[in-house]
Amino acid sequence: MSTDFQCRSCGEQHSGLPSAFHTEAPAYWRPELDGAPGSELGSDQCVIDGEHFFVRGLIELPVIGTADTFVWGVWVSLSQESFQHISDRWFAEGREADPPYFGWLSTELDYSPSTLNLKTNLHSRPVGERPLIELEPTDHPLAVEQRDGITAARAQEIAERLLHPNS
């Protein structure tokens, strides 16, 4: 989605419609946890207090009528057992054949109702690729967009809101 667009929020011409937005940490991470015993935030995995386990993955929304995909980079909480298994297989060739891991979406996106704690399946991909997050097929707007796709206008609307959050 490299189309330039006239932003309805600021009125400026933006170069290239963003095709992905990523969150840096799960919703439950707080800056004071940095360096705390049992807590660690990496680029793809996170542990809080040695009790809560998260993996970063991608929710992909097909853009209707194109070959493009809009991507949300988000975090999913996993059980300790699932987190240990995916960690053990992080650099294993063929990991994409592993069964999916059940988890809970742990990122708050700009949807109503909240996206926190939506049920997910996290699918491993080949080494070097972030996991794919499949939402439970419900009537939640994010699950509907993942299942049915979004228009290019909707992708632009999301981009405008994220580029100008206080507008």
Side-chain angles (χ1 to χ4, degrees):
M1 290 190 294
S2 61
T3 311
D4 291 348
F5 69 101
Q6 182 77 31
C7 185
R8 292 175 292 221
S9 185
C10 69
E12 297 290 321
Q13 184 79 11
H14 290 288
S15 177
L17 183 62
S19 61
F21 286 92
H22 298 270
T23 57
E24 296 303 315
Y28 310 104
W29 180 262
R30 301 287 174 257
E32 58 270 15
L33 292 169
D34 192 29
S39 296
E40 183 177 352
L41 175 62
S43 61
D44 294 298
Q45 297 181 344
C46 177
V47 178
I48 297 177
D49 297 327
E51 297 178 9
H52 307 284
F53 306 91
F54 306 89
V55 172
R56 193 179 203 178
L58 306 175
I59 297 174
E60 297 181 349
L61 310 179
V63 179
I64 297 168
T66 74
D68 294 327
T69 303
F70 182 88
V71 178
W72 288 111
V74 298
W75 294 83
V76 170
S77 67
L78 299 177
S79 68
Q80 184 174 6
E81 180 182 343
S82 291
F83 183 81
Q84 187 61 53
H85 187 266
I86 200 170
S87 295
D88 291 345
R89 304 266 304 139
W90 200 256
F91 296 104
E93 294 297 325
R95 69 183 190 169
E96 62 273 17
D98 291 349
Y101 302 90
F102 174 80
W104 300 95
L105 187 59
S106 299
T107 299
E108 183 69 72
L109 299 174
D110 190 15
Y111 285 82
S112 181
S114 173
T115 58
L116 279 179
N117 297 318
L118 291 176
K119 293 179 182 178
T120 68
N121 278 309
L122 185 124
H123 298 267
S124 293
R125 290 181 166 169
V127 173
E129 294 182 34
R130 285 208 168 109
L132 174 68
I133 297 169
E134 174 190 15
L135 297 169
E136 178 183 47
T138 66
D139 62 354
H140 189 282
L142 180 58
V144 171
E145 288 181 344
Q146 185 179 46
R147 185 172 56 248
D148 297 344
I150 61 174
T151 63
R154 171 68 176 136
Q156 180 176 334
E157 174 190 327
I158 293 169
E160 288 170 346
R161 281 200 333 254
L162 293 168
L163 290 170
H164 306 288
N166 298 322
S167 295

